[in-house]
Amino acid sequence: MSNRGDRISSLPDDLLCQILSNLPTKNVVSTSILSTRWRNLWLSNPLFDIDIDDFDDFNDFVSFASGFLDFHKDSCLHKFKIFGKRKDVSMCTIMWWLHNAVKRKIRHLDVECYLEQTIDMVPLSLYLSETLVSLRVKCLVLVCFEFVSLPNLKVMHLEEIIYSDGDDDDDDTLENFISSCPVLEDLTVVRIVDETDVKVLRVRSQSLNSLKIVVDCTKEWCIGANGDWKVFIDAPRLAYLSLTDTYSVSFEISNLGSSAEVDIDVSFKVNKIWDLDDSFDRSNVCILLTGLASVRDMTIRETTLKIMCHYLKHEPMPQFHNMTRLQVDFYISDLEMLPGILESCPNLKLLVVDLQKVRGRVENEEISLSSSSVPKCLQSSLEDVAIIRPNYGNGAEMKLSKYFLENSLVLKRFTLDMDCDNEEQENIIFEQFETVQRRSSACEASLVVRDMMYPLSELML
């Protein structure tokens, strides 16, 4: 290739290195054959990003990686990322590389190796890194040391981690690790149902902005693991909280700010949500709802909402005075509880109701939504309502539409979004929808069928 036609090669080294930093290390090295201009440029790349599975032989991988890491070994390493699913990986080799990465003032560390055994222990130097900004690790062992200091760590993703402090109680290891990160902003913890995982997860942080907790029950190595799992969260600066957890029995949240957005998909370790009776411990539902009472934006998934509806039959919900947006995934059989939920959100402005289909179960769609006592938000604040139904039903969506359109005084926008299997079903929906009266003269009502929007004004022509 002539220099005249190769404009990229004429760029300065620092800009070329920035381009190379977006490529996996093996691809970066392959650029050395392009021309003499590129021959040694890859050696100046401060990133190590490699997939072990790209190498047929593990020894070839070790030789390649060691050669790359040994070059300019006294220079800073901006990023170290290693991924692989093969089983013949030497844990000792990876541990040594991790140690050297920390010595080279690593800023971003990402290790995900699907080994037959977890990597035995994170090197001690990692617990004292002054430069680490983001940490994403999977299948490692975190040991509780007396002194841990990660003064610049802002992002941490922990998945399938074994926490160990040398005795029978390993729950303090993760708590101490989090508390040693004074500027931590983004934390994700993915847990598996295993005797080696923490039973009581405590997250206490004055700096945390985003928290995501996931329990992966698809990898339940220890069926019927002993003890009741619990979650405690105290993070006053949280702006986003996501809980996806079918195994923990209780969730205690303290000091959650009024600007927080939450997404809740928990089941309090209830296995059969359709067979709940009075023996169910409702106090755990109360504790969770009380902890969330200050939030402004909440999404409640169908399993959680099913349990909440059972709770509402016996106990009132706390008031969510700051709530302006609510998305609820409803089973149709529980829709009669919707007014009670709305009554607890007096300042709600936007509502999304996603109607869920139950596989293998026929639900009664003869619902009754009373208009004798209209929730306060329908009278004074609710401006936007969307009803989503992914399948054609037998009338529940129209009854719900009628409830909102005929009772909402300040509604500005209403949307019914649903799928129909054929033109006959579409025509039925069109005819029913255009007959619904709107209480709010400012309301723009629309019907969305198979991704096509039809304003009510056009349907009435």
Side-chain angles (χ1 to χ4, degrees), residues 4 41 98 114 131-132 172 212 300 318 371:
R4 183 178 179 182
L41 193 61
L98 290 179
Y114 294 80
T131 59
L132 196 62
D172 293 339
K212 184 177 181 180
I300 309 175
S371 299

Side-chain angles (χ1 to χ4, degrees), residues 6 83 136 148 156 202 214 221 302 340 361 414 420 431:
D6 184 10
F83 173 87
R136 184 181 184 277
V148 179
M156 183 159 58
R202 298 183 183 90
V214 179
W221 307 126
E302 60 268 27
R361 190 182 186 97
F414 177 89
C420 294
E431 292 174 3

Side-chain angles (χ1 to χ4, degrees), residues 163-385:
Y163 306 96
S164 174
D165 65 359
D167 56 31
D168 294 334
D169 185 5
D170 299 327
D171 292 345
D172 293 339
T173 302
L174 179 56
E175 181 182 2
N176 294 337
F177 199 72
I178 295 171
S179 64
S180 301
C181 307
V183 297
L184 186 64
E185 297 176 355
D186 190 329
L187 173 63
T188 298
V189 181
V190 181
R191 311 161 71 194
I192 57 174
V193 181
D194 192 309
E195 287 289 0
T196 61
D197 210 320
V198 294
K199 308 300 184 295
V200 180
L201 174 59
R202 298 183 183 90
V203 177
R204 293 188 175 97
S205 173
Q206 295 297 312
S207 60
L208 201 59
N209 182 265
S210 175
L211 174 61
K212 184 177 181 180
I213 297 176
V214 179
V215 173
D216 187 356
C217 285
T218 64
K219 298 179 180 179
E220 192 170 342
W221 307 126
C222 185
I223 303 298
N226 294 328
D228 288 336
W229 285 21
K230 300 179 180 180
V231 175
F232 294 88
I233 299 171
D234 186 353
R237 294 188 179 181
L238 268 186
Y240 177 75
L241 170 64
S242 175
L243 297 176
T244 304
D245 185 342
T246 60
Y247 205 79
S248 298
V249 298
S250 67
F251 305 85
E252 186 171 327
I253 303 171
S254 304
N255 302 315
L256 196 59
S258 59
S259 62
E261 173 188 350
V262 300
D263 190 329
I264 307 298
D265 187 1
V266 302
S267 65
F268 308 95
K269 206 179 178 181
V270 175
N271 295 321
K272 298 180 179 180
I273 61 172
W274 297 94
D275 299 322
L276 280 174
D277 55 30
D278 292 344
S279 64
F280 170 66
D281 186 359
R282 299 189 298 272
S283 63
N284 289 326
V285 180
C286 180
I287 291 172
L288 174 62
L289 292 176
T290 302
L292 298 173
S294 64
V295 303
R296 63 171 178 81
D297 186 327
M298 183 157 62
T299 298
I300 309 175
R301 304 300 173 181
E302 60 268 27
T303 298
T304 308
L305 194 63
K306 179 71 177 175
I307 297 172
M308 283 176 52
C309 288
H310 174 80
Y311 171 85
L312 273 172
K313 294 176 181 178
H314 302 83
E315 309 284 347
M317 280 185 66
Q319 290 291 296
F320 293 83
H321 293 285
N322 297 323
M323 182 87 69
T324 58
R325 180 192 178 277
L326 175 64
Q327 176 176 336
V328 282
D329 296 353
F330 255 106
Y331 292 119
I332 291 173
S333 58
D334 296 321
L335 276 176
E336 294 180 359
M337 306 303 296
L338 178 57
I341 294 176
L342 294 177
E343 193 63 55
S344 67
C345 307
N347 300 306
L348 190 66
K349 291 185 176 181
L350 189 153
L351 173 67
V352 179
V353 180
D354 196 338
L355 300 178
Q356 301 295 306
K357 183 178 181 180
V358 186
R359 293 181 180 179
R361 190 182 186 97
V362 178
E363 287 197 271
N364 180 14
E365 302 206 4
E366 294 299 322
I367 62 170
S368 176
L369 294 170
S370 174
S371 299
S372 58
S373 179
V374 179
K376 180 181 177 181
C377 63
L378 270 68
Q379 303 176 51
S380 60
S381 63
L382 190 61
E383 298 177 348
D384 195 332
V385 174

Side-chain angles (χ1 to χ4, degrees), residues 373-418:
S373 179
V374 179
K376 180 181 177 181
C377 63
L378 270 68
Q379 303 176 51
S380 60
S381 63
L382 190 61
E383 298 177 348
D384 195 332
V385 174
I387 299 174
I388 302 171
R389 178 151 195 181
N391 60 294
Y392 179 78
N394 294 320
E397 66 284 337
M398 293 309 303
K399 292 179 181 178
L400 199 56
S401 300
K402 183 178 180 181
Y403 175 77
F404 284 109
L405 288 170
E406 294 183 353
N407 292 287
S408 301
L409 300 183
V410 296
L411 195 62
K412 294 180 179 179
R413 184 165 47 253
F414 177 89
T415 304
L416 173 59
D417 187 342
M418 63 184 302

